[in-house]
mmCIF file of all heavy atoms in Angstrom:
data_model
loop_
_atom_site.group_PDB
_atom_site.id
_atom_site.type_symbol
_atom_site.label_atom_id
_atom_site.label_comp_id
_atom_site.label_asym_id
_atom_site.label_seq_id
_atom_site.Cartn_x
_atom_site.Cartn_y
_atom_site.Cartn_z
ATOM 1 N N GLU A 144 97.148 99.723 86.629
ATOM 2 C CA GLU A 144 96.525 98.493 87.103
ATOM 3 C C GLU A 144 95.055 98.550 86.739
ATOM 4 O O GLU A 144 94.437 99.603 86.805
ATOM 5 C CB GLU A 144 96.637 98.397 88.635
ATOM 6 C CG GLU A 144 97.928 97.810 89.092
ATOM 7 C CD GLU A 144 97.760 96.992 90.375
ATOM 8 O OE1 GLU A 144 96.703 96.356 90.539
ATOM 9 O OE2 GLU A 144 98.682 97.034 91.194
ATOM 10 N N PRO A 145 94.475 97.422 86.343
ATOM 11 C CA PRO A 145 93.060 97.476 85.974
ATOM 12 C C PRO A 145 92.187 97.803 87.186
ATOM 13 O O PRO A 145 92.511 97.419 88.314
ATOM 14 C CB PRO A 145 92.773 96.061 85.481
ATOM 15 C CG PRO A 145 93.770 95.207 86.185
ATOM 16 C CD PRO A 145 95.008 96.050 86.317
ATOM 17 N N LYS A 146 91.107 98.524 86.903
ATOM 18 C CA LYS A 146 90.130 98.821 87.950
ATOM 19 C C LYS A 146 89.480 97.522 88.397
ATOM 20 O O LYS A 146 89.304 97.264 89.583
ATOM 21 C CB LYS A 146 89.087 99.750 87.356
ATOM 22 C CG LYS A 146 88.054 100.261 88.301
ATOM 23 C CD LYS A 146 87.163 101.218 87.526
ATOM 24 C CE LYS A 146 86.095 101.815 88.390
ATOM 25 N NZ LYS A 146 85.075 102.469 87.545
ATOM 26 N N PHE A 147 89.116 96.696 87.420
ATOM 27 C CA PHE A 147 88.666 95.328 87.686
ATOM 28 C C PHE A 147 88.777 94.512 86.415
ATOM 29 O O PHE A 147 89.128 95.054 85.353
ATOM 30 C CB PHE A 147 87.241 95.282 88.268
ATOM 31 C CG PHE A 147 86.166 95.875 87.395
ATOM 32 C CD1 PHE A 147 85.466 95.093 86.485
ATOM 33 C CD2 PHE A 147 85.824 97.230 87.512
ATOM 34 C CE1 PHE A 147 84.467 95.640 85.696
ATOM 35 C CE2 PHE A 147 84.821 97.783 86.721
ATOM 36 C CZ PHE A 147 84.141 96.981 85.813
ATOM 37 N N VAL A 148 88.531 93.216 86.547
ATOM 38 C CA VAL A 148 88.596 92.304 85.406
ATOM 39 C C VAL A 148 87.218 91.707 85.212
ATOM 40 O O VAL A 148 86.664 91.097 86.126
ATOM 41 C CB VAL A 148 89.621 91.168 85.673
ATOM 42 C CG1 VAL A 148 89.600 90.136 84.542
ATOM 43 C CG2 VAL A 148 91.023 91.737 85.854
ATOM 44 N N LEU A 149 86.656 91.934 84.039
ATOM 45 C CA LEU A 149 85.364 91.353 83.711
ATOM 46 C C LEU A 149 85.656 90.001 83.070
ATOM 47 O O LEU A 149 86.334 89.927 82.041
ATOM 48 C CB LEU A 149 84.656 92.286 82.720
ATOM 49 C CG LEU A 149 83.174 92.055 82.498
ATOM 50 C CD1 LEU A 149 82.373 92.262 83.774
ATOM 51 C CD2 LEU A 149 82.675 92.999 81.407
ATOM 52 N N PHE A 150 85.158 88.940 83.707
ATOM 53 C CA PHE A 150 85.501 87.591 83.239
ATOM 54 C C PHE A 150 84.255 86.850 82.782
ATOM 55 O O PHE A 150 83.334 86.604 83.563
ATOM 56 C CB PHE A 150 86.202 86.819 84.358
ATOM 57 C CG PHE A 150 86.419 85.365 84.042
ATOM 58 C CD1 PHE A 150 87.103 84.977 82.891
ATOM 59 C CD2 PHE A 150 85.952 84.369 84.896
ATOM 60 C CE1 PHE A 150 87.289 83.635 82.589
ATOM 61 C CE2 PHE A 150 86.145 83.027 84.612
ATOM 62 C CZ PHE A 150 86.818 82.656 83.446
ATOM 63 N N PHE A 151 84.227 86.505 81.504
ATOM 64 C CA PHE A 151 83.096 85.772 80.940
ATOM 65 C C PHE A 151 83.339 84.277 81.055
ATOM 66 O O PHE A 151 84.231 83.728 80.424
ATOM 67 C CB PHE A 151 82.867 86.184 79.475
ATOM 68 C CG PHE A 151 82.335 87.570 79.355
ATOM 69 C CD1 PHE A 151 83.161 88.640 79.068
ATOM 70 C CD2 PHE A 151 80.991 87.822 79.595
ATOM 71 C CE1 PHE A 151 82.667 89.933 79.000
ATOM 72 C CE2 PHE A 151 80.487 89.104 79.531
ATOM 73 C CZ PHE A 151 81.320 90.166 79.234
ATOM 74 N N ASP A 152 82.531 83.651 81.890
ATOM 75 C CA ASP A 152 82.687 82.232 82.174
ATOM 76 C C ASP A 152 81.761 81.416 81.273
ATOM 77 O O ASP A 152 80.535 81.597 81.318
ATOM 78 C CB ASP A 152 82.357 81.981 83.657
ATOM 79 C CG ASP A 152 82.812 80.616 84.115
ATOM 80 O OD1 ASP A 152 83.698 80.036 83.459
ATOM 81 O OD2 ASP A 152 82.272 80.125 85.122
ATOM 82 N N CYS A 153 82.347 80.541 80.470
ATOM 83 C CA CYS A 153 81.571 79.797 79.485
ATOM 84 C C CYS A 153 82.246 78.454 79.245
ATOM 85 O O CYS A 153 83.477 78.384 79.187
ATOM 86 C CB CYS A 153 81.561 80.613 78.178
ATOM 87 S SG CYS A 153 80.398 80.033 76.929
ATOM 88 N N HIS A 154 81.456 77.383 79.113
ATOM 89 C CA HIS A 154 82.102 76.082 78.884
ATOM 90 C C HIS A 154 82.495 75.925 77.413
ATOM 91 O O HIS A 154 81.946 76.576 76.530
ATOM 92 C CB HIS A 154 81.227 74.931 79.389
ATOM 93 C CG HIS A 154 79.843 74.896 78.805
ATOM 94 N ND1 HIS A 154 79.594 74.457 77.514
ATOM 95 C CD2 HIS A 154 78.651 75.270 79.319
ATOM 96 C CE1 HIS A 154 78.301 74.543 77.285
ATOM 97 N NE2 HIS A 154 77.704 75.043 78.352
ATOM 98 N N GLU A 155 83.450 75.009 77.199
ATOM 99 C CA GLU A 155 84.042 74.877 75.867
ATOM 100 C C GLU A 155 83.059 74.471 74.779
ATOM 101 O O GLU A 155 83.151 74.926 73.651
ATOM 102 C CB GLU A 155 85.208 73.867 75.897
ATOM 103 C CG GLU A 155 86.464 74.452 76.501
ATOM 104 C CD GLU A 155 87.696 73.568 76.312
ATOM 105 O OE1 GLU A 155 87.631 72.561 75.563
ATOM 106 O OE2 GLU A 155 88.722 73.898 76.926
ATOM 107 N N GLU A 156 82.126 73.601 75.131
ATOM 108 C CA GLU A 156 81.163 73.124 74.133
ATOM 109 C C GLU A 156 80.405 74.305 73.510
ATOM 110 O O GLU A 156 80.228 74.393 72.298
ATOM 111 C CB GLU A 156 80.197 72.171 74.830
ATOM 112 C CG GLU A 156 79.458 71.266 73.902
ATOM 113 C CD GLU A 156 78.385 70.458 74.636
ATOM 114 O OE1 GLU A 156 78.345 70.480 75.894
ATOM 115 O OE2 GLU A 156 77.574 69.835 73.937
#
Side-chain angles (χ1 to χ4, degrees):
E144 275 213 35
K146 185 177 181 193
F147 60 91
V148 175
L149 194 62
F150 172 56
F151 290 99
D152 194 21
C153 191
H154 56 76
E155 283 191 9
E156 199 187 351

